[in-house]
Amino acid sequence: MPWKYSGRIIRVGKAWKDNDGTQYPAVWNNYSADEKAAIGLTWEDEVAAHDNRFYWGRDADGKLIPRSLTDIDVVDEDGKAVNDPITGKQLVTLGLKSNAIALAKTQAAGLLAPYDWQVIKATEVESYSVPSTVTTYRAAVRTASNSIGTAITNAADLAAFMALYDVPVDSDGKPTGNAPIADWPDAI
């Protein structure tokens, strides 16, 4: 990751000053390892990346901090409920499952919306009927939405929840379908 001096990140290609006011040129990176160590520069290895869909980040020891699967009631320092000043109801931080289910419902609505006019027209115009390809597709979207919601709800732990995002692959590593959380029918 970066070179550091007294906790500060020192950028390669940029001049910098040490704590005593000594100026180092932009070519300081060309110094030998011994010269860098002598002036107090240290290299800090890059921390492995984390997937921010599932983790908040890392704690001081570098351990991943998982996001909660379930909703969490908001409380103050004394453990008392924090209420919304407008509704008076306790504030809740939505968990991964609630957010994923809401997203799946939004996606389903987006897939159904282009065909809503045909369903409406069929209720208003007696001589019109929705084409079977549309009704079959809409039923498949609703079924997929329900299946995705059930899979999310049934995820017992973070590993099971994360597995919903894994795209199945064959022995050559080529995708063979959609991730369970995005297993929508093909558009018509």
Side-chain angles (χ1 to χ4, degrees):
M1 178 141 159
W3 283 100
K4 286 193 170 184
Y5 173 80
S6 290
R8 289 185 306 167
I9 294 176
I10 305 299
R11 303 210 184 282
V12 174
K14 298 278 186 181
W16 61 281
K17 287 183 182 180
D18 68 12
N19 294 341
D20 297 326
T22 303
Q23 176 79 31
Y24 293 92
V27 296
W28 63 265
N29 195 44
N30 295 339
Y31 294 177
S32 70
D34 290 338
E35 290 172 315
K36 290 175 185 169
I39 59 177
L41 286 172
T42 58
W43 177 257
E44 186 175 288
D45 286 330
E46 189 167 333
V47 176
H50 67 277
D51 191 331
N52 65 4
R53 293 176 299 175
F54 310 116
Y55 299 99
W56 287 110
R58 295 183 181 276
D59 63 17
D61 296 327
K63 184 179 174 189
L64 288 170
I65 303 167
R67 293 180 182 263
S68 176
L69 283 178
T70 58
D71 298 348
I72 299 172
D73 292 335
V74 178
V75 295
D76 63 15
E77 306 82 37
D78 299 325
K80 295 180 183 173
V82 175
N83 294 331
D84 183 304
I86 296 171
T87 65
K89 294 181 181 177
Q90 184 171 8
L91 293 175
V92 175
T93 301
L94 297 178
L96 291 173
K97 287 183 176 185
S98 291
N99 284 322
I101 289 170
L103 178 59
K105 288 180 179 182
T106 300
Q107 290 171 328
L111 294 171
L112 294 171
Y115 307 99
D116 286 349
W117 71 270
Q118 291 175 316
V119 174
I120 294 168
K121 182 176 179 180
T123 63
E124 295 175 352
V125 178
E126 192 173 314
S127 62
Y128 179 80
S129 61
V130 179
S132 64
T133 55
V134 172
T135 57
T136 300
Y137 174 72
R138 288 174 64 89
V141 168
R142 288 190 298 276
T143 299
S145 178
N146 291 337
S147 296
I148 291 168
T150 299
I152 293 166
T153 300
N154 291 343
D157 54 25
L158 186 59
F161 182 80
M162 290 171 62
L164 297 175
Y165 290 81
D166 292 340
V167 175
V169 294
D170 63 17
S171 60
D172 296 326
K174 294 182 182 172
T176 60
N178 298 320
I181 202 145
D183 198 14
W184 299 104
D186 293 331
I188 56 173

